[in-house]
Amino acid sequence: MKTTTRMLLTCAAIGAAGGVLLIPANNIAAAISVVMPLAYAAMTGIWLIPFVFVLALLRRPGVAILAALFASVITSFTTVYGASSLLTNLMIAIALEIPFAISLYRYWRAWVFYVGAAVFGLLYSFTAMAALGVDAWSVPMQATFVLVIIASEVAATWLGLLLARRVERTGVVRGLARPRAARPARPAKVPAA
């Protein structure tokens, strides 16, 4: 990836905005995670929004990781999680980048974002279940917890993609964002003789 000053500043701005978004999210999550795990599960998607947004907007390798580093500068000093928010942000950013890395960052369809978010949500839900004591709940409640996390991740992905499309239409990332691959032309239908 050719990292220009403009690319770094864009990732810094998105990461900083994401960090500001995550300040209340981190503090609320810390307050409710143990006493209201389902409410915590419903809000877990918030952490994906800035990283989905930057990936969808710029379509470049590593931009989610850069944005996560910048977001962590803010959240490390302003939330109860401190420096551990760096690990959380990096974990999310790397997980979101993996599906695109597999295709060598050549394939940027929306469904790839959704699949990546859903897989991340599924894997994260098992970690969260153990940490929050949800693994002691009944199986239907555990399944509900997992589904709520996955739904939250997918909804946040939808919002991140929507925001990226709207910002891209303004033209502010022209020349910075990787061009969208043109869809292959469908062959013309030949009328039957």
Side-chain angles (χ1 to χ4, degrees):
M1 173 179 92
K2 182 180 176 185
T3 306
T4 64
T5 302
R6 185 175 173 211
M7 177 76 71
L8 285 172
L9 289 174
T10 302
C11 289
I14 293 169
V20 170
L21 168 74
L22 295 178
I23 291 170
N26 280 335
N27 291 326
I28 292 168
I32 69 168
S33 60
V34 176
V35 292
M36 297 188 306
L38 279 176
Y40 168 78
M43 70 178 288
T44 58
I46 293 170
W47 281 264
L48 273 67
I49 294 170
F51 312 128
V52 167
F53 174 72
V54 74
L55 271 171
L57 184 65
L58 300 178
R59 297 180 298 280
R60 300 267 183 198
V63 294
I65 294 168
L66 281 172
L69 290 171
F70 288 114
S72 297
V73 169
I74 292 173
T75 58
S76 292
F77 297 106
T78 57
T79 67
V80 296
Y81 292 115
S84 70
S85 65
L86 171 66
L87 294 176
T88 302
N89 290 339
L90 284 176
M91 172 186 69
I92 294 165
I94 290 168
L96 291 174
E97 292 238 11
I98 286 173
F100 301 102
I102 290 170
S103 71
L104 301 176
Y105 294 93
R106 292 184 188 145
Y107 197 70
W108 294 94
R109 304 271 189 232
W111 70 266
V112 179
F113 284 94
Y114 288 115
V115 169
V119 169
F120 171 74
L122 177 66
L123 296 175
Y124 176 70
S125 67
F126 295 119
T127 303
M129 283 173 51
L132 302 177
V134 174
D135 52 355
W137 292 3
S138 68
V139 172
M141 287 303 294
Q142 288 179 22
T144 301
F145 182 81
V146 171
L147 291 174
V148 169
I149 285 183
I150 292 171
S152 178
E153 310 295 327
V154 169
T157 299
W158 173 83
L159 181 58
L161 292 172
L162 175 70
L163 293 171
R165 280 192 304 272
R166 292 201 172 162
V167 169
E168 187 174 15
R169 284 186 202 139
T170 68
V172 296
V173 292
R174 193 173 301 124
L176 185 60
R178 175 177 282 163
R180 293 188 185 276
R183 291 184 185 216
R186 290 187 178 171
K189 292 185 179 182
V190 178

